[in-house]
């Protein structure tokens, strides 16, 4: 019997700066130097003006819960249930799929303010979101 | 000219008008067919569809294929050839048309290819079986899922995220409507001897709500089943179709729209200004509207998908699907009987169930449905809801393939001339 593992993100040449920043505890998103738009997930060109002037830019780390789901059936036994998957809308406008931690699943609400937090342990850093504490 | 003649005239100039669906075949659908290979199920389905049509497999010169574990020995990452390219060897003869896509788009492409003379007879084949010890969720470890897989998301979670947002925007009453839609579809499966859920109902919305939570707001009975099985569908030209065994079924309209890259990107839940415009335009070119539709075979991956497809294709307005479903519209005595074989939730989800939707539509249009009515051997249906699943005198069927939120929504209208 093999030990179940969680999928581990594998950085690409394109996404490496994102994961490097995460390792330092910073959230960076590509921003187009030509039209000013933010781009997530990482792309080669801007999806608005199609130029290749995207620059990794530090963002606030603040956002709100756009939607969520409390998961009771894990994709592998490596996940403890229940856990919360969410799509967070950053203050900068892009939406990221993530999980919510440090929260009672029963208290999660759409539009709830959240902030990014990083797990910087090896082998790969991960970004999570947690409720903003007043 | 009368309205009917105008509609007929517009249809005849349509590039889909030259093709006919002439054969369908389905193997046993069951939880565990691991003793059969995907290719064995695909071949069985192909033989069944060929027998159904009376067309010899030797005539097939075009193919679309989704077969698990095939070709044997090929390394996924180095596979240079599409799976369809291996069928020349299995069929033992050359092919003129290889499907660029799978599912309903493949059927539409095949019809156009036949219209243009690029193929004469096309087989759409599916054969799926999983190893006996496989888990039930889709693999999430591919590198392309770099920004979604680690969260613990899987297919049902993608839809759950959409469902949770839908409830937020349109009200919690939609949860009961989701459960009602699943109960209705499962009750058709309960009446279908070929269904994985045959005889396991009847179901109520309460039963669906009380089933095991998977990912809020989805419960187990709001989700597709998981099983093995195969199917096939044969398309040929109008002239060739005159000499086949069964009444040929026409493709009246069809189209496809892909909103975003599924599983790699987070589900897009809004932002597509008018998702159903492409479908209305296609139906308008064919001279038909939803008022002409008699039976609906939606791709019912999850309960929230059913509601969203009704809205997307214009059966009801945005945010109106809950009331629409609760009005009983999906029942046999409703305006749009839906998923009359039990759908993905109760008939079969073999990993690639896209083709089961048009197959059920064909069977309804041909008046070939098997249910408790047919046990008396007379072939007559009584159309009593809860005891019968045959739609009374259907002429046009609306058929869809995977819709939002995980991306892709193709549709076709099939008709009995």
């Amino acid at each position: 019997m093999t030990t179940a593992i969680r999928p581990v993100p594998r950085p690409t040449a394109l996404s490496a700066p994102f994961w490097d920043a995460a390792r330092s505890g910073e959230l960076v998103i590509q921003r187009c130097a030509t039209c000013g738009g933010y781009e997530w997930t990482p792309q080669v060109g801007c999806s608005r003006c199609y130029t290749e002037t995207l620059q990794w830019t530090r963002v606030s780390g603040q956002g709100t819960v756009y939607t969520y789901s409390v998961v009771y059936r894990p994709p592998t036994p490596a996940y403890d249930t229940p856990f919360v998957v969410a799509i967070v809308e950053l203050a900068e406008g892009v939406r990221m799929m993530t999980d919510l931690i440090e929260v009672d699943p029963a208290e999660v609400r759409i539009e709830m303010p959240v902030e990014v937090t990083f797990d910087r342990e090896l082998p790969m850093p991960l970004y999570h979101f947690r409720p903003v504490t007043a | 000219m009368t309205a009917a003649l105008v509609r007929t005239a517009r249809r005849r100039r349509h590039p889909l008008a030259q093709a006919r669906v002439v054969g369908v075949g389905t193997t046993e659908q069951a939880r565990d067919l691991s003793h059969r290979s995907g290719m064995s199920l695909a071949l069985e389905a192909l033989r069944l569809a060929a027998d159904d049509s009376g067309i010899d497999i030797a005539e097939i010169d075009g193919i679309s294929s989704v077969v698990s574990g095939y070709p044997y020995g090929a390394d996924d990452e180095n596979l240079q050839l599409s799976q369809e390219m291996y069928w020349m060897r299995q069929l033992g003869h050359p092919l003129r048309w290889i499907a660029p896509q799978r599912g309903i788009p493949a059927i539409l492409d095949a019809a156009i290819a036949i219209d243009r003379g690029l193929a004469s007879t096309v087989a759409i084949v599916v054969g799926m079986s999983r190893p006996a010890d496989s888990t039930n969720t889709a693999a999430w470890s591919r590198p392309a899922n770099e920004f979604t897989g680690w969260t613990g998301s899987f297919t049902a979670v993608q839809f759950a995220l959409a469902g949770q947002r839908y409830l937020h925007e349109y009200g919690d009453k939609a949860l009961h409507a989701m459960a009602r839609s699943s109960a209705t579809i499962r009750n058709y499966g309960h009446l279908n001897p070929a269904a994985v859920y045959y005889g396991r109902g009847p179901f109520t919305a309460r039963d669906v709500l009380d089933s095991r939570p998977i990912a809020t707001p989805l419960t187990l009975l709001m989700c597709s089943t998981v099983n093995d099985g195969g199917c096939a569908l044969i398309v040929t030209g109008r002239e060739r179709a005159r000499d086949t065994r069964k009444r040929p079924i026409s493709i009246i309209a069809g189209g496809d729209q892909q909103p975003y890259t599924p599983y790699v990107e987070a589900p897009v839940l809004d932002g597509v200004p008018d998702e159903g415009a492409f479908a209305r335009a296609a139906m308008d070119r064919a001279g038909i509207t939803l008022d002409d539709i008699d039976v609906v075979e939606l791709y019912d991956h999850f309960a929230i998908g059913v509601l969203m497809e009704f809205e997307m294709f214009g059966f009801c307005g945005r945010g109106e699907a809950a009331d629409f479903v609760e009005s009983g519209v999906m029942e046999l005595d409703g305006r749009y009987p839906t998923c009359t074989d039990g759908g993905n939730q109760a008939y079969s989800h073999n990993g690639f169930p896209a083709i089961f939707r048009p197959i059920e539509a064909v069977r309804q249009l041909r008046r070939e449905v098997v249910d408790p009515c047919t046990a008396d051997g007379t072939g007559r249906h009584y159309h009593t809801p809860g005891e019968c699943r045959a739609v009374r005198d259907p002429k046009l069927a609306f058929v869809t393939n995977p819709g939002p939120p995980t991306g892709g929504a193709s549709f076709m209208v099939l008709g009995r001339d």
Side-chain angles (χ1 to χ4, degrees):
Chain A
M1 188 165 78
T2 56
T3 305
I5 57 164
R6 299 180 176 222
V8 177
R10 280 162 43 182
T12 63
L14 180 63
S15 67
F18 173 85
W19 296 108
D20 289 343
R23 201 170 270 111
S24 307
E26 292 184 0
L27 183 63
V28 296
I29 302 291
Q30 289 171 309
R31 188 167 197 191
C32 181
T34 304
C35 75
Y38 286 95
E39 201 71 43
W40 181 261
T41 51
Q43 299 300 313
V44 172
C46 176
S47 66
R48 293 169 190 75
C49 70
Y50 309 112
T51 60
E52 292 174 58
T53 59
L54 293 170
Q55 293 168 352
W56 288 102
T57 307
R58 185 161 188 193
V59 294
S60 66
Q62 305 293 308
T64 59
V65 174
Y66 175 74
T67 188
Y68 71 98
S69 180
V70 181
V71 183
Y72 288 89
R73 193 211 188 281
T76 82
Y79 289 85
D80 293 327
T81 56
F83 61 94
V84 184
V85 175
I87 297 176
V88 168
E89 185 166 304
L90 298 182
E92 292 78 9
V94 296
R95 293 189 189 146
M96 302 181 83
M97 184 174 280
T98 182
D99 60 0
L100 299 184
I101 63 171
E102 299 171 21
V103 67
D104 178 350
E107 294 184 2
V108 177
R109 295 287 177 271
I110 288 177
E111 294 175 6
M112 171 179 196
V114 291
E115 62 187 11
V116 73
T117 178
F118 292 92
D119 179 351
R120 296 152 69 172
E121 307 244 324
L122 295 171
M124 274 295 293
L126 283 180
Y127 50 100
H128 310 278
F129 282 76
R130 64 183 173 203
V132 173
T133 46
Chain B
M1 289 170 93
T2 66
L5 282 174
V6 169
R7 287 200 293 271
T8 303
R10 286 164 86 174
R11 280 209 294 274
R12 288 228 177 94
R13 284 196 292 275
H14 198 286
L16 301 174
Q18 297 307 311
R20 296 290 182 273
V21 179
V22 293
V24 295
T26 49
T27 69
E28 176 190 9
Q29 309 298 316
R31 289 236 182 269
D32 180 2
L33 296 175
S34 55
H35 58 287
R36 302 276 303 274
S37 66
M39 193 48 164
S40 173
L41 291 163
L43 277 175
E44 179 188 345
L46 179 59
R47 290 192 300 267
L48 288 167
D51 288 345
D52 185 58
S53 68
I55 291 183
D56 201 286
I57 292 177
E59 278 189 56
I60 290 170
D61 60 3
I63 196 135
S64 164
S65 161
V66 179
V67 176
S68 62
Y70 186 74
Y72 296 107
D75 178 343
D76 265 348
E77 300 211 353
N78 293 323
L79 192 61
Q80 298 295 310
L81 303 173
S82 67
Q83 190 181 88
E84 283 80 357
M85 296 288 283
Y86 288 81
W87 273 90
M88 278 93 81
R89 177 63 186 84
Q90 180 61 87
L91 290 174
H93 61 254
L95 290 172
R96 297 177 59 213
W97 182 83
I98 304 285
Q101 292 192 79
R102 282 89 183 247
I104 281 179
I107 300 173
L108 300 178
D109 286 339
I112 293 170
I114 289 168
D115 175 68
R116 298 286 186 265
L118 298 177
S120 66
T121 302
V122 173
I124 313 288
V125 295
V126 180
M128 305 290 285
S129 76
R130 299 156 298 135
D133 62 350
S134 66
T135 58
N136 287 352
T137 57
W140 276 95
S141 56
R142 298 178 199 156
N145 298 338
E146 183 181 357
F147 297 107
T148 52
W150 67 265
T151 65
S153 179
F154 54 97
T155 313
V157 176
Q158 299 270 310
F159 284 85
L161 291 167
Q164 200 74 55
R165 182 73 195 187
Y166 187 95
L167 295 177
H168 174 79
E169 293 192 15
Y170 300 114
D172 288 342
K173 67 176 179 180
L175 185 64
H176 189 274
M178 286 164 59
R180 168 103 187 249
S181 75
S182 289
T184 303
I185 290 171
R186 287 176 178 280
N187 286 334
Y188 286 121
H190 168 65
L191 300 174
N192 181 0
V196 169
Y197 272 81
Y198 172 56
R200 292 172 59 181
F203 297 93
T204 64
R206 187 76 257 159
D207 294 331
V208 174
L209 288 168
D210 288 347
S211 63
R212 184 156 54 93
I214 300 298
T216 60
L218 297 178
T219 61
L220 179 67
L221 293 183
M222 291 182 188
C223 303
S224 294
T225 185
V226 181
N227 60 270
D228 299 332
C231 65
L233 181 150
I234 295 177
V235 188
T236 193
R238 192 155 58 98
E239 291 300 318
R240 180 64 182 88
R242 290 195 212 281
D243 192 26
T244 54
R245 285 188 60 231
K246 303 281 183 70
R247 177 190 283 265
I249 299 298
S250 295
I251 304 172
I252 307 297
D256 186 22
Q257 180 164 282
Q258 303 281 332
Y260 70 97
T261 311
Y263 300 114
V264 174
E265 305 292 330
V268 171
L269 303 175
D270 58 20
V272 182
D274 187 352
E275 297 162 305
F278 78 97
R280 283 194 299 282
M283 291 178 71
D284 187 58
R285 272 197 302 280
I288 59 171
T289 70
L290 292 177
D291 286 346
D292 300 309
I293 300 298
D294 303 304
V295 59
V296 176
E297 302 301 338
L298 295 184
Y299 191 89
D300 64 317
H301 25 31
F302 297 92
I304 184 60
V306 172
L307 268 63
M308 292 176 80
E309 283 175 61
F310 277 132
E311 292 181 2
M312 175 177 175
F313 288 108
F315 286 87
C316 63
R318 183 70 67 98
E320 295 176 2
D323 289 343
F324 188 66
V325 167
E326 298 281 24
S327 75
V329 66
M330 297 168 63
E331 308 287 347
L332 193 69
D333 56 356
R335 175 63 184 85
Y336 293 114
T338 302
C339 295
T340 53
D341 56 349
N344 288 343
Q345 295 176 71
Y347 165 62
S348 174
H349 189 307
N350 65 350
F352 190 80
I355 305 301
F356 292 126
R357 302 295 93 235
I359 288 176
E360 172 66 5
V362 167
R363 289 173 169 160
Q364 286 283 350
L365 294 171
R366 284 178 179 176
R367 323 280 197 258
E368 283 185 346
V369 167
V370 176
D371 66 9
C373 295
T374 54
D376 69 8
T378 65
R380 195 184 150 195
H381 287 279
Y382 300 92
H383 309 292
T384 307
E387 296 171 21
C388 176
R389 63 181 194 88
V391 177
R392 193 187 298 274
D393 199 29
K395 297 193 176 56
L396 288 183
F398 191 95
V399 185
T400 74
N401 263 192
T406 66
S410 51
F411 88 102
M412 60 194 301
V413 176
L414 298 178
R416 170 190 175 91
D417 286 341

